[in-house]
């Protein structure tokens, strides 16, 4: 089995391995917002999750925010938004285990950092302010 810790080491990030085949790291955006990154190996796949990216949407905002997330999924590269069982929004990515190398791992992690820095604050504001229209996110 592959040791994902090797990639975190090469990337220069601290991590823990809370259980077999699961690694956890954290990072901060330029605005000092903290995110948890989880990487799990299951069979022939490596699953990445930045979770939670956003808390569960208030009932009145669910349609709006889910619509925005679906549109963003069509525009984003390497990563996509998903809802967990509690309605929290995660940013996820999957990679075939046999294709994972330093460069591919770095691309995925850099995509997580990029979208966290660019979208998290805007989406959170949209989530809790029904009247806010983000200049970064076009709504239908």
């Amino acid at each position: 089995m592959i040791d994902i810790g090797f990639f975190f080491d090469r990337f220069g990030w601290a991590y823990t391995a809370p259980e077999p085949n699961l690694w956890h790291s954290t990072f901060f955006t330029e605005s000092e917002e903290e995110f948890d990154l989880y990487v799990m190996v299951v069979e022939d796949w490596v699953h990445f999750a930045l979770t939670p990216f956003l808390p569960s949407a208030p009932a009145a905002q669910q349609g709006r925010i889910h619509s925005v997330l679906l549109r963003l999924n069509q525009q984003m590269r390497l990563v996509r938004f998903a809802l967990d069982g509690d309605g929290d929004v995660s940013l996820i990515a999957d990679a075939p285990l046999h294709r994972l190398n330093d460069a591919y791992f770095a691309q995925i992690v850099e995509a997580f950092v990029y979208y966290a820095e660019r979208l998290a604050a805007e989406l959170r504001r949209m989530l809790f302010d029904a009247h806010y229209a983000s200049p970064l996110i076009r709504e239908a």
Side-chain angles (χ1 to χ4, degrees):
M1 186 56 59
I2 193 166
D3 179 13
I4 298 299
F6 169 80
F7 294 111
F8 279 118
D9 288 339
R10 301 271 300 206
F11 205 61
W13 280 22
Y15 68 92
T16 61
E19 59 186 67
N21 299 323
L22 177 66
W23 294 262
H24 169 256
S25 187
T26 59
F27 69 88
F28 290 86
T29 61
E30 290 179 7
S31 63
E32 298 185 18
E33 191 171 2
E34 183 178 12
F35 288 91
D36 290 312
L37 173 62
Y38 295 90
V39 182
M40 182 183 335
V41 175
V42 178
E43 297 176 4
D44 295 335
W45 287 89
V46 182
H47 305 284
F48 297 77
L50 198 60
T51 190
F53 190 83
L54 293 174
S56 180
Q61 288 294 92
Q62 285 182 358
R64 177 184 184 213
I65 203 71
H66 293 170
S67 175
V68 166
L69 294 174
L70 287 172
R71 274 194 301 286
L72 286 170
N73 276 352
Q74 295 175 9
Q75 300 167 19
M76 295 170 27
R77 299 293 177 248
L78 292 176
V79 300
R80 65 196 179 283
F81 288 108
L83 298 175
D84 70 13
D86 296 324
D88 293 335
V89 175
S90 298
L91 194 58
I92 62 173
D94 303 300
L97 184 62
H98 72 278
R99 291 200 140 165
L100 195 64
N101 59 31
D102 288 344
Y104 197 16
F105 184 87
Q107 284 178 325
I108 292 171
V109 170
E110 288 168 1
F112 279 122
V113 172
Y114 172 80
Y115 289 117
E117 287 179 345
R118 185 164 190 259
L119 298 176
E122 291 295 303
L123 286 169
R124 191 169 292 106
R125 186 165 175 196
M126 290 177 73
L127 191 65
F128 295 109
D129 182 351
H131 303 290
Y132 179 67
S134 171
L136 298 177
I137 302 167
R138 293 190 350 225
E139 295 184 62

